[in-house]
Amino acid sequence: KRERLKGLDAQKANILAARTVSGVLRSSLGPKGMDKMLVSPDGDVTITNDGATILDRMDVQHQIAKLMVELSQSQDMEIG
């Protein structure tokens, strides 16, 4: 079992997780945004540049990254 991080180490791990998720999405934003090709475990291929779709299809393990995915989903449900 993994040891629980505390203090500054936990903050650094959370920041790294948030930056990693934002880095994946950053290149899909804007007028020159690139499409992402997502492959599911069963081999289904999805090509999109929609941030909500990318986050929804990603298999996220880190709790902060999961929180960002949930935030995206709730924002998408509210706004449409």
Side-chain angles (χ1 to χ4, degrees):
K1 188 171 179 176
R2 289 180 30 194
E3 187 176 319
R4 184 177 174 137
L5 296 175
K6 297 178 184 176
L8 189 59
D9 290 335
Q11 288 179 347
K12 287 181 180 180
N14 292 344
I15 291 170
L16 178 63
R19 282 188 168 195
T20 302
V21 170
S22 67
V24 168
L25 295 177
R26 183 172 289 134
S27 62
S28 68
L29 300 175
K32 294 185 179 182
M34 297 187 299
D35 289 345
K36 303 284 185 205
M37 181 169 54
L38 308 168
V39 182
S40 68
D42 63 350
D44 186 32
V45 176
T46 304
I47 298 175
T48 183
N49 68 351
D50 178 37
T53 303
I54 294 169
L55 286 176
D56 184 49
R57 304 286 168 107
M58 285 175 52
D59 182 25
V60 180
Q61 299 296 321
H62 194 275
Q63 292 298 318
I64 296 299
K66 284 183 184 179
L67 185 66
M68 292 178 69
V69 171
E70 291 174 10
L71 176 67
S72 166
Q73 290 171 346
S74 66
Q75 185 176 9
D76 197 35
M77 288 172 50
E78 281 292 321
I79 296 172

